[in-house]
Amino acid sequence: MAERALRGTRLGATSYENDRNTDLAPRQEVSYTCPKGHQFSVTLAAEVEVPMTWDCRNCGVPALLMDGEVPVAKKGKPPRTHWDMLLERRSIEDLEEVLAERLEILRAGRRKSA
């Protein structure tokens, strides 16, 4: 008889629990405004630190907290290029030597094929 009672109920696809007698965690609603004029709000837990910026839901641009201050940009290092890293390992004279050797190898290979 149990098999007949469960037939057609899609076990695992539907939850039979309800929200009665449950307490939700305390929440707060925080509003943001993006530079393009979009305004939206985000629901966060009451005990979290509210971030000053949040990506806009419409355009993806970082939006600022409505009543917040503009965050100060941190001073960072400029990105290192491949050339900067190469100069850390070798001097200009070493690089000129390596270039001359490689050019000679290439020129010798072209002479043989011609």
Side-chain angles (χ1 to χ4, degrees):
M1 185 165 177
E3 291 177 12
R4 291 184 202 146
L6 295 176
R7 187 177 295 161
T9 60
R10 298 180 305 166
L11 287 176
T14 306
S15 173
Y16 293 107
E17 294 182 10
N18 57 27
D19 292 335
R20 280 185 279 153
N21 301 327
T22 56
D23 294 327
L24 298 176
R27 299 175 182 191
Q28 62 179 334
E29 191 122 341
V30 182
S31 298
Y32 291 92
T33 304
C34 100
K36 295 184 178 180
H38 303 125
Q39 293 184 355
F40 60 95
S41 60
V42 178
T43 305
L44 300 172
E47 65 268 3
V48 300
E49 183 180 332
V50 177
M52 293 300 293
T53 60
W54 195 275
D55 289 343
C56 179
R57 292 180 178 172
N58 297 323
C59 60
V61 175
L64 294 175
L65 189 62
M66 274 231 189
D67 298 330
E69 300 173 5
V70 177
V72 179
K74 295 180 181 177
K75 194 173 187 179
K77 292 189 220 175
R80 288 174 41 197
T81 63
H82 294 292
W83 180 249
D84 295 333
M85 290 184 264
L86 185 63
L87 288 178
E88 289 175 5
R89 295 190 311 265
R90 296 181 183 251
S91 67
I92 296 292
E93 293 80 22
D94 291 341
L95 292 172
E96 288 176 351
E97 276 183 40
V98 171
L99 176 64
E101 290 172 8
R102 297 305 301 169
L103 287 174
E104 185 59 37
I105 292 170
L106 288 172
R107 288 176 184 144
R110 286 186 182 164
R111 287 182 203 138
K112 289 179 185 176
S113 64

